[in-house]
Amino acid sequence: MPATTPRESHTTTDLDATATLAARYAVPIEDALLMAINLHGISSPHNRHRARVLIRLKTAPAVPWQVIVPLNASTSPFVLDEDTLLLAGIPVATVTRVDADEAVGGYFRNEGRAVTLNPNARSRCVGCAFCPNTLEAAADPRLSEQRAVHELLDAMAHQHPAGTLTGLEEVTVSTGCFEREQAAVDHLGNLRTVLTEAGITARIGFLTSVLRTQAAFDTLARTSGPFVLRMTAECFTRRDLLLKASKAELTRKQMPRVLRRAARAGHDTSFTYIVGLDDLPAMEDGIRDLAPHITEFPNLQVYQAHNRIMAGLRAPGATDLAFYLKARTVLEDILGPTGLRPKAWECYRPLWHFTFGPERLVAA
């Protein structure tokens, strides 16, 4: 069905309004609440632009969810009072942990089965208008030598409950600082060498827009596999305005071709996209073009505005929860037939938590 921007204008002002919207779009109230928290952020005494917050909803306390949100969102309907999260004065969740979301060299995900590395100083990456990286504290060095990557992995092995990283299933490289394709290819080859020397056979994932040519993917097949390309699409319109030059150079028409080239070389494929930057028709058209060329569920995020400038970048209607619930319905229609489903650990700002359409993703 064609996507249209919702005519209704619903802000998440109270629990009843959120429940009404959830029922209208046939999603659990828990999913609607978590999406709304990601959309609006939290008003709290903490003066933090961005923090990792562990939340247990009152209606499903057995399942913890980590969200990364601004804690200084003074206009948010969500208010943190000690360890209780209130929506218009009504307790909706318990907050069990708050950590600064610093840009660090690496951190674990998926209960220690995956690790994300920031080997090229992610915090120094600037240029995309919507990105909060420049708001974060920086503790992520630029690791240009194999020895430095070795040292990072050794340090993380000591932090792992098993004392080793040999059981890792995926190592994701998350950085926007590789401006040239060859630099990225060289780094990934070096990373595979270091992983092999450490006895780690995990798949390497790379969030990037600079890998584009068949030659690059063929080289990666020889030097870095198993490998998954997580192409950073982010948006389909206003790319020159919203993205730094190295990302904007990847055009909407080129995106399916890049995914096909990666698949032709034998790699897994996916992409990242921020819901709320495009209007819904543009989102639908773009996702439909990419969906046939992926082997992993894409990372589809609720757009967060960390200041007034970022808020002004939203598409019309994207200030309201209804926009994202409608987007979720459209995306399920496109991605449902692929058989791919979202994994909670892969995205901290997802549109899905407990369910995908009628399917349950986690037990309540």
Side-chain angles (χ1 to χ4, degrees), residues 1-338:
M1 61 181 177
T4 57
T5 302
R7 290 183 181 179
E8 66 265 40
S9 178
H10 290 283
T11 56
T12 314
T13 55
D14 57 43
L15 190 56
D16 286 342
T18 305
T20 298
L21 274 177
R24 178 174 303 168
Y25 288 95
V27 306
I29 182 63
E30 293 81 8
D31 281 36
L33 282 171
L34 287 164
M35 290 168 67
I37 292 168
N38 273 312
L39 172 61
H40 296 298
I42 296 172
S43 176
S44 81
H46 301 276
N47 186 26
R48 292 178 179 174
H49 291 285
R50 189 167 146 97
R52 302 183 187 193
V53 183
L54 195 63
I55 288 176
R56 291 182 183 270
L57 295 170
K58 294 290 186 182
T59 54
V63 186
W65 293 95
Q66 179 169 272
V67 297
I68 302 180
V69 296
L71 285 182
N72 60 351
S74 60
T75 62
S76 173
F78 294 94
V79 176
L80 182 60
D81 181 10
E82 295 184 348
D83 65 348
T84 301
L85 188 65
L86 308 171
L87 174 57
I90 304 298
V92 294
T94 300
V95 172
T96 59
R97 186 170 178 175
V98 175
D99 294 313
D101 185 46
E102 297 174 332
V104 296
Y107 55 91
F108 294 109
R109 304 181 79 174
N110 194 22
E111 299 180 335
R113 291 186 289 271
V115 65
T116 294
L117 301 180
N118 300 315
N120 210 38
R122 177 175 64 108
S123 64
R124 300 176 197 169
C125 178
V126 296
C128 293
F130 53 81
C131 184
N133 277 350
T134 55
L135 304 177
E136 301 172 13
D140 56 334
R142 189 181 298 274
L143 305 180
S144 58
E145 301 177 8
Q146 289 187 13
R147 185 185 72 250
V149 179
H150 263 298
E151 292 172 353
L152 173 61
L153 292 175
D154 286 344
M156 297 194 72
H158 288 297
Q159 299 170 17
H160 197 281
T164 176
L165 302 183
T166 55
L168 287 177
E169 298 172 2
E170 182 155 333
V171 175
T172 299
V173 177
S174 175
T175 179
C177 298
F178 292 102
E179 301 291 342
R180 295 180 297 108
E181 183 179 66
Q182 190 58 51
V185 171
D186 292 343
H187 179 83
L188 293 170
N190 289 333
L191 176 60
R192 175 56 70 193
T193 297
V194 172
L195 294 176
T196 300
E197 291 173 352
I200 301 170
T201 59
R203 182 175 68 171
I204 294 175
F206 191 33
L207 282 79
T208 185
S209 59
V210 301
L211 293 179
R212 300 174 193 174
T213 67
Q214 192 64 57
F217 291 121
D218 290 343
T219 298
L220 290 173
R222 296 191 302 270
T223 65
S224 306
F227 176 78
V228 53
L229 171 69
R230 300 189 184 277
M231 184 181 68
T232 50
E234 317 297 35
C235 58
F236 299 119
T237 62
R238 302 185 294 163
R239 290 179 62 79
D240 288 343
L241 170 66
L242 298 175
L243 304 178
K244 65 178 185 176
S246 62
K247 278 190 178 183
E249 288 171 358
L250 177 64
T251 68
R252 183 186 177 287
K253 289 185 178 180
Q254 290 173 331
M255 291 178 189
R257 300 173 198 165
V258 169
L259 292 171
R260 285 197 299 268
R261 289 169 190 153
R264 193 177 300 131
H267 303 304
D268 289 319
T269 53
S270 187
F271 61 91
T272 64
Y273 178 80
I274 302 172
V275 179
L277 292 176
D278 297 322
D279 62 29
L280 292 181
M283 178 200 76
E284 179 176 11
D285 289 346
I287 300 296
R288 284 197 186 279
D289 284 347
L290 300 185
H293 310 294
I294 57 175
T295 64
E296 303 282 333
F297 194 88
N299 187 310
L300 301 165
Q301 307 176 20
V302 172
Y303 177 56
Q304 284 182 354
H306 292 260
N307 54 43
R308 291 182 180 179
I309 294 174
M310 292 181 184
L313 301 177
R314 288 190 179 111
T319 57
D320 298 338
L321 178 60
F323 180 98
Y324 299 89
L325 292 169
K326 177 65 174 179
R328 172 175 155 141
T329 300
V330 173
L331 292 165
E332 287 175 350
D333 180 59
I334 298 170
L335 297 168
T338 68

